[in-house]
């Protein structure tokens, strides 16, 4: 049994109260780890360590030295690649190939990209005229914001946590991370990496626990935390924003979605089916960018539904260690119950169940896991709960459409605005829709294809702010202007 402690000021330590909680495996619900549950005094200690580190060795490093250190962090993650893969598989139950090819490499990349940004970023300068004719020179300075509170979710834990920690450290801040209670393992491993490469104590801290009245709230309410970056549910973002209002602290939020996939009859059909299979079912549908609403142009509607059904029915459930597995369990029993409640609701709302709708038969050693079938519905009204609420499971509703304007209106009929994926070979149409669909990220003939220099984030209730490349600087630094009279 693993024991996971908090990581504060460069040391792994149990919580001062001695309290712990259990982490269960998604594949069979057996307890796999005991996690130290940070109380308020542990969080106080972590925040104090982070503040002290700002003034210590870390604060004295030049940007070049910081960049070199972040490259070493990335290299050490790569050296310990198998450990990260193993830990993330244990936490999430997701197949090994997804860890190896998507989520863990992104952890290392998240440090490198922001090291590169910092190395190459210029500061603006303006020469201004003055009445005496001598003028003045203005230039901007970017300084770290201070101690950043990082609150991260369970669905792609290492990738999403480092997506915040990478830019925060590149900009010279220090962090107190509160990983999801469901997935604490890789945040702890990163503590080992930080110590190994000599990142000064207190720069990276991890406190474990839950949300309300627990470590999450203790971090976000802490007056010495200067800004909060959060990925998770929109509802949680609302609670965190209220906490951040005290002290008028800045927030950066990546939140929920109810993303539309739009498939036109002129698409490359096989590529569209493959792409939508991924956007609906990758990571067992637990991807914020995933598509739970699909709109298919009427001439190819039946053919598309049949093709997606065939792929959904061919998934191979199983242990993440089995190389044949391509479909894992949901993260927790609680989440399984939530997803199954929507499966039931869809039937009550009058859906035609094209495939799935229940729990698959599993061998005895996996029978207690949080399995659900990939599920496809048709025939629901646009205002059905299943078509409007984020389920965060491997399921989608498919509806036919007849015109471009109709599908734009359907796609935009939501309070969310994270992402969309559009499949068409008509280039003009692709550009037209990219301007009209109200989301932060539009993929054309692709999905989840990420260039880390680009702005990433959601519109409407899917987010506040943009991260990625230079856009992250807006949140992780404070810009000052210096005006010199010549
Ligand atoms: P969640 O909001 O339940 O939890 C996220 C984190 O917030 C966890 O660490 C949790 O302990 C903490 N938390 C909960 N309540 C809190 C509070 N009151 N104060 C402080 N911290 C609190 O989200 P989740 O279930 O872990 O993740 C799934 C959700 O995340 C989905 O809605 C998904 O769409 C969203 N998500 C969005 C993106 C994106 O980039 N937009 C990426 C991944 C996940
Ligand atoms: C959500 O589940 C996935 C989010 C992806 C990113 O934040 C990213 O940077 O690719």
């Amino acid at each position: 049994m693993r024991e996971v402690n908090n990581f504060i000021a460069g040391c792994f330590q149990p919580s001062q109260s001695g309290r712990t909680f259990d982490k269960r495996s998604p594949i069979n619900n057996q307890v796999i780890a005991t996690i130290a549950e940070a109380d308020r005094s542990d969080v106080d200690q972590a925040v104090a360590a982070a503040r002290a580190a700002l003034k210590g060795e870390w604060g004295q490093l030049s940007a070049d030295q910081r960049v070199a250190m972040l490259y070493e962090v990335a290299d050490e993650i790569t050296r310990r690649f198998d450990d990260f893969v193993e830990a993330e598989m244990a936490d999430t139950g997701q197949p090994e190939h997804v860890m190896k090819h998507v989520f863990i490499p992104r952890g290392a990349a998240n440090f490198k990209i922001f090291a590169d940004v910092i190395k190459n970023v210029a500061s603006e300068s303006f020469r201004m005229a003055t009445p005496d004719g001598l003028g003045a020179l203005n230039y901007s300075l970017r300084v770290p914001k201070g101690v950043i509170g990082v609150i991260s979710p369970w669905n792609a834990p290492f990738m999403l946590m480092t997506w915040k920690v990478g830019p925060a450290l590149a900009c010279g801040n220090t962090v107190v991370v509160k990983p999801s209670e469901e997935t604490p393992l890789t945040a702890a491993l990163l503590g080992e990496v930080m110590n190994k490469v000599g990142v000064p104590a207190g720069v990276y801290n991890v406190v474990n626990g839950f949300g309300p009245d627990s470590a999450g709230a203790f971090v976000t309410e802490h007056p010495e935390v200067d800004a909060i970056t959060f990925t998770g549910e929109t509802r949680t973002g609302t609670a965190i924003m209220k906490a951040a209002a005290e002290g008028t602290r800045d927030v950066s939020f990546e939140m929920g979605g109810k993303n539309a996939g739009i498939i036109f009859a002129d698409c490359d059909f096989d590529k569209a089916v493959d792409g939508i299979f991924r956007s609906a079912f990758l990571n067992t549908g637990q991807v914020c960018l995933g598509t739970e609403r699909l709109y298919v142009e009427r001439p190819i509607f039946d053919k598309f539904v049949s093709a997606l059904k065939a792929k959904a029915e061919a998934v191979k459930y199983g242990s993440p260690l089995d190389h044949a597995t391509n479909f894992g369990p949901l993260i927790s029993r609680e989440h399984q119950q939530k997803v199954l409640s929507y499966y039931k609701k869809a039937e009550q709302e009058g859906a035609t169940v094209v495939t799935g709708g229940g729990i698959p038969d599993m061998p005895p050693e996996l029978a207690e896991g949080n399995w659900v079938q990939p599920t496809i519905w048709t025939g629901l009204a646009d205002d059905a709960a299943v078509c409007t609420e984020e389920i965060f499971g491997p399921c989608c509703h498919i509806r036919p459409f007849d015109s471009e304007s109709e599908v734009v209106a359907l796609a935009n009929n939501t309070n969310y605005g994270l992402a969309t994926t559009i499949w068409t070979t008509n280039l003009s149409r692709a550009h037209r829709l990219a301007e009209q669909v109200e989301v932060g990220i539009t993929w054309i003939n692709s999905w989840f294809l990420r260039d880390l220099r680009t702005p990433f984030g959601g519109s409407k209730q899917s987010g506040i702010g943009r991260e990625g490349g230079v856009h992250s600087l807006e949140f992780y630094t404070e810009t000052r202007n210096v005006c010199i009279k010549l």
Side-chain angles (χ1 to χ4, degrees), residues 84-222:
F84 278 97
V85 168
E86 191 277 328
E88 195 93 315
M89 279 194 314
D91 260 348
T92 64
Q94 289 298 323
E96 189 179 39
H97 73 94
V98 182
M99 300 301 138
K100 282 193 162 164
H101 298 292
V102 189
F103 292 157
I104 302 303
R106 259 298 295 280
N110 285 342
F111 285 97
K112 284 199 167 140
I113 162 75
F114 293 108
D116 290 342
V117 167
I118 286 299
K119 214 164 46 185
N120 293 309
V121 75
S123 92
E124 65 183 15
S125 86
F126 291 101
R127 181 85 159 79
M128 69 184 286
T130 56
D132 64 7
L134 296 175
L137 179 67
N138 288 275
Y139 68 91
S140 61
L141 276 178
R142 283 196 181 270
V143 298
K145 213 163 232 175
V147 176
I148 309 287
V150 178
I151 309 289
S152 51
W154 47 258
N155 61 315
F158 188 55
M159 174 181 108
L160 294 175
M161 189 256 297
T162 51
W163 181 238
K164 314 284 196 181
V165 173
L169 299 196
C171 292
N173 302 283
T174 59
V175 296
V176 177
V177 177
K178 209 298 281 174
S180 168
E181 53 275 30
E182 304 288 355
T183 52
L185 297 183
T186 44
L189 264 186
L190 188 60
E192 294 178 20
V193 167
M194 295 287 175
N195 279 351
K196 177 79 193 298
V197 307
V199 172
V203 170
Y204 171 79
N205 305 276
V206 183
V207 289
N208 288 293
F210 302 85
D213 301 317
S214 183
F218 301 156
V219 170
T220 54
E221 290 166 3
H222 204 294

Side-chain angles (χ1 to χ4, degrees), residues 33 84 86 153 158 166 223 230 310 410 422 485:
F84 278 97
E86 191 277 328
F158 188 55
F230 162 73
L410 287 167
I422 299 170
K485 174 76 177 61

Side-chain angles (χ1 to χ4, degrees), residues 106 155 159-160 163 254 286-289 448 450 456:
R106 259 298 295 280
N155 61 315
M159 174 181 108
L160 294 175
W163 181 238
E254 293 175 4
Q286 304 166 116
V287 181
C288 57
L289 310 160
F448 205 173
R450 294 279 287 114
F456 182 94

